[in-house]
Short mmCIF file of all heavy atoms in Angstrom, two decimals:
data_model
loop_
_atom_site.label_atom_id
_atom_site.label_comp_id
_atom_site.label_asym_id
_atom_site.label_seq_id
_atom_site.Cartn_x
_atom_site.Cartn_y
_atom_site.Cartn_z
N VAL A 10 5.20 10.11 3.29
CA VAL A 10 4.27 9.06 3.72
C VAL A 10 3.15 8.91 2.68
O VAL A 10 2.86 9.81 1.94
CB VAL A 10 3.65 9.39 5.11
CG1 VAL A 10 4.71 9.39 6.20
CG2 VAL A 10 2.92 10.70 5.08
N SER A 30 -23.81 4.81 9.96
CA SER A 30 -22.68 4.00 9.49
C SER A 30 -22.66 3.91 8.00
O SER A 30 -23.73 3.87 7.33
CB SER A 30 -22.79 2.58 10.08
OG SER A 30 -21.78 1.75 9.55
N LYS A 47 -21.47 7.64 16.49
CA LYS A 47 -22.35 7.30 17.59
C LYS A 47 -22.98 8.60 18.11
O LYS A 47 -22.32 9.39 18.79
CB LYS A 47 -21.56 6.60 18.73
CG LYS A 47 -20.86 5.30 18.29
CD LYS A 47 -21.85 4.18 17.96
CE LYS A 47 -22.51 3.64 19.21
NZ LYS A 47 -23.42 2.52 18.91
N VAL A 61 -10.20 -3.17 8.81
CA VAL A 61 -10.28 -4.63 8.97
C VAL A 61 -9.48 -5.31 7.88
O VAL A 61 -9.71 -5.09 6.69
CB VAL A 61 -11.75 -5.14 8.93
CG1 VAL A 61 -11.82 -6.62 9.16
CG2 VAL A 61 -12.62 -4.38 9.95
N MET A 68 -0.35 -3.87 4.29
CA MET A 68 -0.34 -2.51 4.84
C MET A 68 -0.99 -2.45 6.24
O MET A 68 -1.67 -3.37 6.68
CB MET A 68 -1.07 -1.52 3.91
CG MET A 68 -0.48 -1.41 2.52
SD MET A 68 -1.39 -0.19 1.51
CE MET A 68 -0.78 -0.59 -0.11
N PHE A 118 -17.76 14.63 6.12
CA PHE A 118 -16.54 14.41 6.86
C PHE A 118 -15.44 13.99 5.90
O PHE A 118 -15.66 13.21 4.96
CB PHE A 118 -16.72 13.33 7.93
CG PHE A 118 -17.51 13.76 9.12
CD1 PHE A 118 -18.91 13.57 9.16
CD2 PHE A 118 -16.91 14.39 10.20
CE1 PHE A 118 -19.66 13.95 10.23
CE2 PHE A 118 -17.66 14.79 11.28
CZ PHE A 118 -19.03 14.57 11.32
N ARG A 176 18.71 -11.75 -4.73
CA ARG A 176 17.54 -11.68 -3.86
C ARG A 176 17.40 -12.86 -2.89
O ARG A 176 16.76 -12.74 -1.86
CB ARG A 176 16.27 -11.58 -4.72
CG ARG A 176 16.22 -10.37 -5.62
CD ARG A 176 15.88 -9.11 -4.86
NE ARG A 176 14.43 -9.05 -4.61
CZ ARG A 176 13.88 -8.72 -3.48
NH1 ARG A 176 14.63 -8.42 -2.45
NH2 ARG A 176 12.57 -8.67 -3.37
N PRO A 178 19.53 -15.89 -0.82
CA PRO A 178 20.79 -16.57 -0.47
C PRO A 178 20.77 -18.06 -0.78
O PRO A 178 21.81 -18.65 -1.08
CB PRO A 178 20.90 -16.31 1.05
CG PRO A 178 19.51 -15.99 1.51
CD PRO A 178 18.85 -15.32 0.37
N LYS A 220 2.58 -8.81 -7.00
CA LYS A 220 1.92 -8.77 -8.31
C LYS A 220 0.43 -8.53 -8.19
O LYS A 220 -0.19 -7.86 -9.03
CB LYS A 220 2.17 -10.09 -9.04
CG LYS A 220 1.78 -10.09 -10.54
CD LYS A 220 2.25 -11.37 -11.20
CE LYS A 220 2.04 -11.31 -12.72
NZ LYS A 220 0.63 -11.28 -13.07
N ALA A 225 -2.39 -12.99 1.31
CA ALA A 225 -2.72 -14.09 2.25
C ALA A 225 -2.76 -15.42 1.51
O ALA A 225 -3.80 -16.01 1.24
CB ALA A 225 -4.03 -13.82 2.96
N ALA A 233 8.52 -18.31 -0.18
CA ALA A 233 9.30 -17.27 0.46
C ALA A 233 10.19 -17.84 1.58
O ALA A 233 11.33 -17.43 1.75
CB ALA A 233 8.40 -16.16 0.98
N ALA A 248 -0.27 -11.18 6.51
CA ALA A 248 -1.49 -11.18 5.70
C ALA A 248 -2.41 -12.37 6.09
O ALA A 248 -3.62 -12.29 5.96
CB ALA A 248 -1.14 -11.27 4.22
N LYS A 251 -6.16 -13.05 10.16
CA LYS A 251 -7.44 -12.39 9.88
C LYS A 251 -8.25 -12.28 11.17
O LYS A 251 -8.13 -13.12 12.07
CB LYS A 251 -8.24 -13.16 8.83
CG LYS A 251 -7.76 -12.94 7.40
CD LYS A 251 -8.79 -13.45 6.41
CE LYS A 251 -8.40 -13.09 5.01
NZ LYS A 251 -9.46 -13.46 4.04
N ASP A 253 -11.54 -12.56 13.40
CA ASP A 253 -12.73 -13.41 13.41
C ASP A 253 -13.76 -12.85 14.39
O ASP A 253 -13.52 -11.87 15.07
CB ASP A 253 -12.39 -14.87 13.73
CG ASP A 253 -11.69 -15.01 15.10
OD1 ASP A 253 -11.96 -14.19 16.00
OD2 ASP A 253 -10.85 -15.93 15.25
N GLY A 334 6.07 38.59 13.48
CA GLY A 334 5.20 38.96 14.61
C GLY A 334 5.91 39.87 15.60
O GLY A 334 7.10 40.19 15.42
N GLU A 360 4.57 19.30 -7.86
CA GLU A 360 3.94 20.56 -7.46
C GLU A 360 3.35 20.41 -6.06
O GLU A 360 2.88 19.35 -5.68
CB GLU A 360 2.87 20.99 -8.46
CG GLU A 360 1.74 19.94 -8.66
CD GLU A 360 0.80 20.31 -9.77
OE1 GLU A 360 1.14 21.19 -10.55
OE2 GLU A 360 -0.28 19.71 -9.81
N PHE A 370 0.76 18.18 17.11
CA PHE A 370 0.56 16.90 16.42
C PHE A 370 -0.89 16.39 16.49
O PHE A 370 -1.21 15.34 15.97
CB PHE A 370 1.48 15.80 16.97
CG PHE A 370 2.96 16.08 16.72
CD1 PHE A 370 3.75 16.56 17.73
CD2 PHE A 370 3.50 15.86 15.47
CE1 PHE A 370 5.09 16.82 17.52
CE2 PHE A 370 4.85 16.11 15.25
CZ PHE A 370 5.62 16.62 16.28
N SER A 396 0.18 32.67 21.44
CA SER A 396 1.52 33.21 21.41
C SER A 396 2.54 32.09 21.66
O SER A 396 2.23 31.04 22.21
CB SER A 396 1.67 34.29 22.48
OG SER A 396 0.79 35.39 22.20
N MET A 409 1.98 16.88 -2.05
CA MET A 409 2.60 17.07 -3.35
C MET A 409 1.97 16.18 -4.43
O MET A 409 1.34 15.18 -4.10
CB MET A 409 4.11 16.76 -3.27
CG MET A 409 4.89 17.49 -2.22
SD MET A 409 6.55 16.94 -2.19
CE MET A 409 7.23 17.99 -0.87
N ASN A 411 3.42 14.47 -8.08
CA ASN A 411 4.53 14.29 -9.01
C ASN A 411 4.03 14.51 -10.44
O ASN A 411 2.96 14.08 -10.82
CB ASN A 411 5.14 12.89 -8.87
CG ASN A 411 5.97 12.74 -7.62
OD1 ASN A 411 5.49 12.99 -6.51
ND2 ASN A 411 7.20 12.37 -7.77
N THR A 423 12.19 -2.78 0.81
CA THR A 423 13.40 -1.95 0.94
C THR A 423 14.65 -2.72 0.56
O THR A 423 15.60 -2.16 0.01
CB THR A 423 13.52 -1.44 2.41
OG1 THR A 423 12.35 -0.71 2.75
CG2 THR A 423 14.72 -0.55 2.56
N GLN A 436 30.58 -7.85 -6.75
CA GLN A 436 30.93 -8.68 -7.90
C GLN A 436 30.34 -10.09 -7.84
O GLN A 436 31.01 -11.07 -8.16
CB GLN A 436 32.43 -8.71 -8.09
CG GLN A 436 33.06 -7.32 -8.29
CD GLN A 436 34.56 -7.31 -8.48
OE1 GLN A 436 35.17 -8.38 -8.65
NE2 GLN A 436 35.20 -6.17 -8.47
N ASP A 440 28.85 -9.91 -14.98
CA ASP A 440 29.29 -10.43 -16.29
C ASP A 440 29.68 -9.30 -17.26
O ASP A 440 29.72 -9.53 -18.47
CB ASP A 440 28.24 -11.33 -16.90
CG ASP A 440 26.86 -10.71 -16.91
OD1 ASP A 440 26.74 -9.51 -16.63
OD2 ASP A 440 25.87 -11.43 -17.17
N ASN A 448 40.63 2.86 -16.99
CA ASN A 448 40.57 2.37 -15.62
C ASN A 448 39.27 1.63 -15.35
O ASN A 448 38.19 2.20 -15.52
CB ASN A 448 40.73 3.54 -14.63
CG ASN A 448 42.06 4.24 -14.77
OD1 ASN A 448 43.11 3.59 -14.97
ND2 ASN A 448 42.05 5.55 -14.70
N SER A 485 36.77 11.78 -18.81
CA SER A 485 36.47 12.99 -18.01
C SER A 485 35.33 12.75 -17.04
O SER A 485 35.01 13.66 -16.24
CB SER A 485 36.08 14.14 -18.94
OG SER A 485 34.90 13.84 -19.69
N ARG A 533 16.75 23.16 -16.77
CA ARG A 533 16.17 24.21 -17.59
C ARG A 533 15.54 25.29 -16.75
O ARG A 533 15.06 26.30 -17.29
CB ARG A 533 15.18 23.64 -18.57
CG ARG A 533 13.81 23.28 -18.00
CD ARG A 533 12.90 22.76 -19.05
NE ARG A 533 11.63 22.36 -18.47
CZ ARG A 533 10.90 21.33 -18.91
NH1 ARG A 533 11.35 20.63 -19.93
NH2 ARG A 533 9.75 21.05 -18.37
N VAL A 547 8.82 41.61 -0.46
CA VAL A 547 8.55 42.86 0.21
C VAL A 547 7.03 43.02 0.42
O VAL A 547 6.59 43.49 1.47
CB VAL A 547 9.12 44.05 -0.57
CG1 VAL A 547 8.57 45.39 -0.05
CG2 VAL A 547 10.64 44.04 -0.52
#
Side-chain angles (χ1 to χ4, degrees):
V10 295
S30 174
K47 301 292 288 183
V61 183
M68 299 182 194
F118 286 93
R176 298 285 281 136
K220 191 172 188 293
K251 284 195 173 185
D253 58 31
E360 57 187 15
F370 295 102
S396 298
M409 305 177 179
N411 286 55
T423 302
Q436 300 182 9
D440 50 11
N448 297 320
S485 63
R533 77 179 177 215
V547 168

